Amino acid sequence: MSAVIGQPVREPRWWEAPPRPVWEEEPRKAGLAAKGIVLGFACFAILFPLWIVIVTSLSSKKTIDEAGGLVVIPKDITFIAYQELLGGGQVQRAALVSVGVTVVGTLFSMAVSVLCAYGLSRSGSLGHRWILMTLLATMFFGAGLIPTYLLVQALGLTDTYLALILPSAVSVFNILVLRGFFMGISQELIDSARIDGAGDWRILWKIVMPLSRAVLAVIALFYAVGYWSAWFNASIYLTDQDMMPLQNVMIQLVQKQERPVGLATQINTGGLSALAVQMAVMVMALLPVAVLSPFVQRHFKKGMLTGAVKG
């Protein structure tokens, strides 16, 4: 029944069906409140464990002993765990190894992925269909761990830092996302550049890459997080303890398999808590990802959705 002229239109009750489709209706207060509660609970579930890890890493041995383990309320804040970890030795060397592998590996992976994706995005490129089908096949079929290890060993890459980069240097999924984004770039723009005398290298460097900053930032973050968090390759390809990255050293400290001499002395004499050291190493491993993610977050929607849907 239509509303009487001069009287306000009554909003439907929460149990009544809306007069229009749900996606055309304004959000109700109850729905907004429910969303806020759910998001608040999700944020608490994520941030509270992180808070415990950070507070425990900054707590003294006395505070940890009084709390019986993990510390929730900060007290007697001290940076002794970080001082011991960054004061030289295995942990500092492992952190430098992880930084070097992440930087070099990300640059190499991005170079290979961009070149491969750009070539596959050009329909007239030589053998692009067969190359694309081969890449797609590798997403469903793999050689397995033992053949991969034998190949790395035959190439003489064991006990080298290249073993941490080359076996996992390229992700076919990332190449497909880049290819989809590159195919969405106006062909008229590329044709006009060719008419002006630009070659493929100049088109890629001057036109395609500047227009693809969003997807490049997202893919670079994916590769960087993958290299920084990787530990499996080092565990099977490296035997020299001095070459181990931070993630492997963190596993050893958490599992108490092996500790650096300085840390072991501090822990055994009671001057340092083993739990504080473990939490400090976890914070060091999470810090780069936590710092970089907010800067790339705004590119996720444009980079990933556009690149994944087009093409």
Side-chain angles (χ1 to χ4, degrees), residues 23-241:
W23 55 85
E24 295 182 359
E25 291 292 323
E26 292 291 333
R28 299 178 180 178
K29 294 181 179 180
L32 292 176
K35 290 179 182 179
I37 293 174
V38 173
L39 292 176
F41 179 77
C43 292
F44 177 79
I46 295 173
L47 296 178
F48 185 65
L50 182 60
W51 167 263
I52 294 177
V53 170
I54 295 175
V55 171
T56 305
S57 68
L58 297 174
S59 300
S60 62
K61 189 177 187 303
K62 179 182 178 181
T63 303
I64 294 176
D65 292 339
E66 291 177 353
L70 298 174
V71 181
V72 179
I73 301 176
K75 181 182 177 182
D76 298 334
I77 298 298
T78 177
F79 294 89
I80 184 174
Y82 294 94
Q83 292 174 358
E84 292 295 331
L85 290 175
L86 299 176
Q90 183 181 1
V91 177
Q92 184 179 16
R93 182 170 55 250
L96 294 176
V97 170
S98 294
V99 171
V101 170
T102 301
V103 173
V104 176
T106 302
L107 293 176
F108 178 76
S109 297
M110 286 299 297
V112 175
S113 299
V114 168
L115 293 176
C116 182
Y118 178 71
L120 294 176
S121 66
R122 303 303 97 190
S123 59
S125 58
L126 179 62
H128 74 282
R129 288 186 176 275
W130 291 104
I131 296 176
L132 181 60
M133 295 301 297
T134 303
L135 291 176
L136 291 175
T138 62
M139 298 181 65
F140 303 99
F141 306 99
L145 177 60
I146 294 178
T148 303
Y149 178 83
L150 294 177
L151 176 61
V152 173
Q153 187 181 45
L155 295 175
L157 299 179
T158 53
D159 284 326
T160 64
Y161 291 122
L162 290 177
L164 306 181
I165 298 176
L166 294 183
S168 56
V170 177
S171 170
V172 177
F173 173 78
N174 292 339
I175 292 177
L176 295 179
V177 172
L178 288 171
R179 174 180 177 268
F181 197 94
F182 292 164
M183 292 180 67
I185 298 176
S186 174
Q187 183 63 36
E188 289 77 9
L189 183 63
I190 296 178
D191 292 339
S192 63
R194 292 189 184 278
I195 293 174
D196 292 336
D200 285 324
W201 287 103
R202 188 160 188 173
I203 292 174
L204 175 62
W205 185 256
K206 295 293 185 179
I207 298 177
V208 175
M209 293 187 65
L211 294 176
S212 309
R213 290 193 183 97
V215 69
L216 292 177
V218 174
I219 299 301
L221 178 64
F222 284 172
Y223 277 126
V225 171
Y227 281 115
W228 179 262
S229 304
W231 61 272
F232 185 70
N233 285 351
S235 64
I236 61 176
Y237 297 135
L238 300 182
T239 57
D240 189 354
Q241 190 67 28

Side-chain angles (χ1 to χ4, degrees), residues 234-276:
S235 64
I236 61 176
Y237 297 135
L238 300 182
T239 57
D240 189 354
Q241 190 67 28
D242 293 337
M243 298 178 65
M244 290 293 177
L246 183 62
Q247 302 296 335
N248 295 77
V249 175
M250 181 182 69
I251 293 174
Q252 295 174 1
L253 290 173
V254 172
Q255 296 179 349
K256 302 179 182 179
Q257 295 177 351
E258 183 178 348
R259 290 172 178 161
V261 177
L263 287 177
T265 303
Q266 288 283 348
I267 294 173
N268 294 333
T269 57
L272 183 62
S273 173
L275 184 59

Side-chain angles (χ1 to χ4, degrees), residues 266-289:
Q266 288 283 348
I267 294 173
N268 294 333
T269 57
L272 183 62
S273 173
L275 184 59
V277 173
Q278 296 172 6
M279 298 298 106
V281 175
M282 292 179 65
V283 172
M284 292 175 58
L286 293 173
L287 187 61
V289 178

